[in-house]
Amino acid sequence: MSILQSNNISQAIYQTVTQGFSALMLVFLAVGSAQALEAEKVASGFNIPWGLAYVDDSTMLISQRDGIVKQLNLKTGEHKTIFKPANVWADGQGGLLDIAVSPFADNTLYFTYSKDIEGEGATTLAKATYQNGTLTDWQDVFVSNSRSDTGRHFGSRIAFDNDSLYFSIGDRGVRDNGQDTQTHAGAILRLMPDGSVPSDNPFIADKAVLDEIWSYGHRNPQGLVYDAPTQKLWSIEHGPRGGDELNLIKSGANYGWPITSHGKEYWGPISVGDGKVKEGIEPPVKVYIPSIAPGSLAMYRGSKFPELNGKLLAGALKLTHINVVTVNDAGKAIAEERIMAELGERIRDIEVTPKGDIYFSTDSGNIYRLKHAD
């Protein structure tokens, strides 16, 4: 599917007819610069490949939600189990969640998972060493205060800035957690690489808020990315029935859940919360109605796909596509496009490599590489 949607082309043709030769040149340049994109299947046979971590040109590590880490040969499509951490609470939406290569230490990966604590799950950050095809030295870095027996809304994605890391935790299906700052549920946390609290976190001096919290009022943020060139942290989260949100994350901000929401109750056409906006609550940059059910978020910075450069890419589960959002320097969403819908796949994670390649996983167990059509 071309990233230049058919309705855009129709509008451009109309402008050509009505505005003359200059418009014709604009249409020619737009169509000529946009190439059709397609998905090339790299591998299959995974059990909900929740997270992708690019290691090198021939190796990717994959976290399966059932609690298994797999190693994939990107050239042959062969894959094998290399590690199965203990105490993974694989129930409902919980299990082994995100995986990310550390920018702070060689041969180190971070993971988030729902840790089994006396039959309940708590979203937990862990790290391990990967070397010579082997994963060792698994250790918990931070066990969050989000423990519950519900199998809903764990988050969780990992992102890095220059010296710290962020990871997101869902409200665990308990709405009041979004505004309860004595729990990590419904929040995005910021930690140092060793799991300690950065001295400049926003609530260090506030005993009413846990020190690790960077922002709160979140429902279920399953996409998180830090864009180094702009120094912006972006998140995308599930709303209720309608009302998925793309948010620009700010230090100490309240994102409103469940006080504000753009969604409806599951049991009827009743709005959730007190309203869509409220003083003191950070509004979303973009709202999705109906819900796309976002499962991941990436920022594309690269030359292999110039038409995607500087745009956010979100994997959509319910509406089965990659959602491409153009944002301006002020952090506003100014355009949206939808690609890969023809696959009909629940797109789970999106990984952009240092060389500008784009891989993505689907809940059916496939791994794809994005490419320009021949």
Side-chain angles (χ1 to χ4, degrees):
M1 176 184 290
S2 172
I3 194 167
L4 190 62
Q5 301 294 311
S6 60
N7 61 332
N8 298 124
I9 296 174
S10 298
Q11 182 181 5
I13 293 172
Y14 174 78
Q15 291 173 344
T16 300
V17 175
T18 58
Q19 297 178 18
F21 181 73
S22 61
L24 176 62
M25 291 302 295
L26 288 174
V27 173
F28 174 78
L29 291 172
V31 175
S33 63
Q35 299 182 52
L37 299 176
E38 62 184 20
E40 176 186 33
K41 187 182 290 187
V42 175
S44 60
F46 295 91
N47 186 353
I48 307 185
W50 214 94
L52 307 176
Y54 173 86
V55 177
D56 55 44
D57 286 348
S58 61
T59 310
M60 180 172 283
L61 298 187
I62 296 167
S63 57
Q64 292 188 167
R65 199 172 67 188
D66 61 359
I68 290 174
V69 181
K70 289 212 167 188
Q71 177 182 274
L72 167 65
N73 186 316
L74 292 171
K75 299 185 183 300
T76 67
E78 297 176 346
H79 51 87
K80 63 180 181 180
T81 298
I82 62 168
F83 193 74
K84 187 173 183 179
N87 300 323
V88 174
W89 197 76
D91 185 58
Q93 297 170 4
L96 184 57
L97 304 173
D98 206 13
I99 177 174
V101 176
S102 171
F104 311 121
D106 293 340
N107 307 317
T108 300
L109 292 111
Y110 284 95
F111 299 81
T112 53
Y113 73 106
S114 53
K115 181 181 177 69
D116 190 335
I117 304 175
E118 299 177 347
E120 297 182 327
T123 303
T124 297
L125 179 73
K127 68 177 180 178
T129 300
Y130 175 75
Q131 201 165 15
N132 300 322
T134 303
L135 196 68
T136 59
D137 303 323
W138 179 280
Q139 58 179 305
D140 290 342
V141 175
F142 183 80
V143 181
S144 73
N145 175 13
S146 65
R147 174 180 166 183
S148 101
D149 61 1
T150 174
R152 300 189 299 277
H153 300 181
F154 292 86
S156 167
R157 293 289 177 190
I158 304 167
F160 305 99
D161 63 17
N162 291 333
D163 55 12
S164 61
L165 65 85
Y166 305 84
F167 75 102
S168 58
I169 304 176
D171 70 355
R172 301 307 316 282
V174 179
R175 290 184 177 182
D176 289 347
N177 283 344
Q179 297 298 313
D180 183 355
T181 52
Q182 287 298 301
T183 176
H184 294 119
I188 292 173
L189 311 189
R190 178 175 178 247
L191 301 172
M192 298 304 292
D194 64 357
S196 62
V197 179
S199 60
D200 59 346
N201 265 13
F203 298 110
I204 289 289
D206 188 346
K207 295 187 181 301
V209 186
L210 296 177
D211 291 348
E212 297 83 7
I213 291 178
W214 184 255
S215 64
Y216 64 101
H218 300 285
R219 185 173 183 266
N220 191 22
Q222 285 192 339
L224 189 68
V225 63
Y226 180 79
D227 182 40
T230 60
Q231 299 183 348
K232 287 182 171 66
L233 181 66
W234 294 93
S235 175
I236 195 165
E237 65 181 73
H238 294 255
R241 189 162 57 92
D244 297 343
E245 296 181 3
L246 174 66
N247 287 305
L248 178 57
I249 303 301
K250 300 177 181 178
S251 172
N254 179 0
Y255 287 83
W257 178 255
I259 297 172
T260 59
S261 174
H262 291 256
K264 303 291 185 182
E265 296 286 359
Y266 289 103
W267 47 265
I270 307 298
S271 296
V272 176
D274 299 337
K276 295 179 180 178
V277 295
K278 191 171 183 178
E279 185 177 356
I281 289 176
E282 192 69 24
V285 170
K286 181 175 176 59
V287 175
Y288 294 90
I289 300 174
S291 294
I292 65 169
S296 56
L297 189 65
M299 171 65 80
Y300 187 77
R301 297 287 182 184
S303 58
K304 286 195 174 182
F305 301 96
E307 66 271 52
L308 299 177
N309 190 46
K311 299 183 180 184
L312 290 164
L313 312 178
L317 301 169
K318 181 180 178 182
L319 294 193
T320 61
H321 68 276
I322 295 178
N323 197 262
V324 182
V325 180
T326 302
V327 291
N328 63 17
D329 293 341
K332 304 296 183 183
I334 58 175
E336 176 199 2
E337 297 157 302
R338 302 186 177 196
I339 61 173
M340 299 299 109
E342 67 274 14
L343 292 176
E345 293 261 34
R346 288 170 55 88
I347 295 176
R348 177 60 65 174
D349 194 22
I350 300 174
E351 176 85 346
V352 179
T353 76
K355 293 184 178 180
D357 289 308
I358 299 172
Y359 292 87
F360 61 94
S361 65
T362 67
D363 278 3
S364 65
N366 296 323
I367 309 296
Y368 292 94
R369 180 190 294 113
L370 203 65
K371 59 179 286 189
H372 285 119
D374 294 336

